[in-house]
Amino acid sequence: MRVGHRFNASWAFEVSYATIDADRGLLARNYSAEFAGLGIGVAYSMPLSPSISAVLRAGGSSSELKLQPAVGLLSKNPGTITTRSFKPSAGLGASWQFARHWSASLNADWTRADLRDAPDGARQDVAVRMLGAGVAFNF
């Protein structure tokens, strides 16, 4: 989800929220992960035609990554491990204005997040890539 305020035809301020859930199971080695990120930043829109624009985004993302690690049959379950971080983010998009107040868009966003795979383990830097499509109402 993304909301923003356009200052002029080219520049906007945006706030975004994203969540991703991942589950994987291979016999006794199951894990699940959940990412939640709140981002702030600016967007620059470049018109390619009267109704189509390319959008470039830059900002930062505050993220929380929860991991339920893989556990073997005789291993002790460490529980959910939560790691929080703030990292830079970037994005690319394309927008099509199909009516006076309505547009459709395709977006690709990238950020990084910290992850721990053990409660007292070192932080690992992982990439978070999001691809989305949406419809927007423009005031």
Side-chain angles (χ1 to χ4, degrees):
M1 182 172 77
R2 189 182 323 266
V3 296
H5 173 73
R6 186 171 296 282
F7 296 108
N8 57 38
S10 297
W11 289 98
F13 172 77
E14 295 182 336
V15 176
S16 62
Y17 176 76
T19 183
I20 302 170
D21 293 324
D23 293 311
R24 181 174 179 180
L26 291 172
L27 300 174
R29 297 197 48 87
N30 297 328
Y31 75 84
S32 66
E34 179 183 327
F35 168 84
L38 179 65
I40 58 170
V42 295
Y44 179 74
S45 181
M46 295 182 306
L48 301 176
S49 76
S51 62
I52 297 176
S53 297
V55 180
L56 304 172
R57 291 186 178 84
S61 179
S62 174
S63 61
E64 178 179 82
L65 193 54
K66 295 179 182 177
L67 176 70
Q68 176 66 52
V71 179
L73 291 175
L74 302 175
S75 301
K76 181 181 175 196
N77 188 332
T80 301
I81 302 164
T82 302
T83 311
R84 292 177 182 86
S85 58
F86 186 85
K87 303 283 184 174
S89 62
L92 295 172
S95 176
W96 171 47
Q97 188 84 29
F98 61 86
R100 183 170 184 221
H101 293 287
W102 292 95
S103 63
S105 65
L106 292 173
N107 299 289
D109 294 292
W110 299 270
T111 190
R112 304 203 60 82
D114 286 340
L115 168 72
R116 285 190 178 143
D117 58 3
D120 56 352
R123 288 182 179 224
Q124 302 170 39
D125 194 39
V126 295
V128 178
R129 296 176 290 270
M130 296 167 278
L131 184 62
V135 175
F137 180 78
N138 308 292
F139 294 98

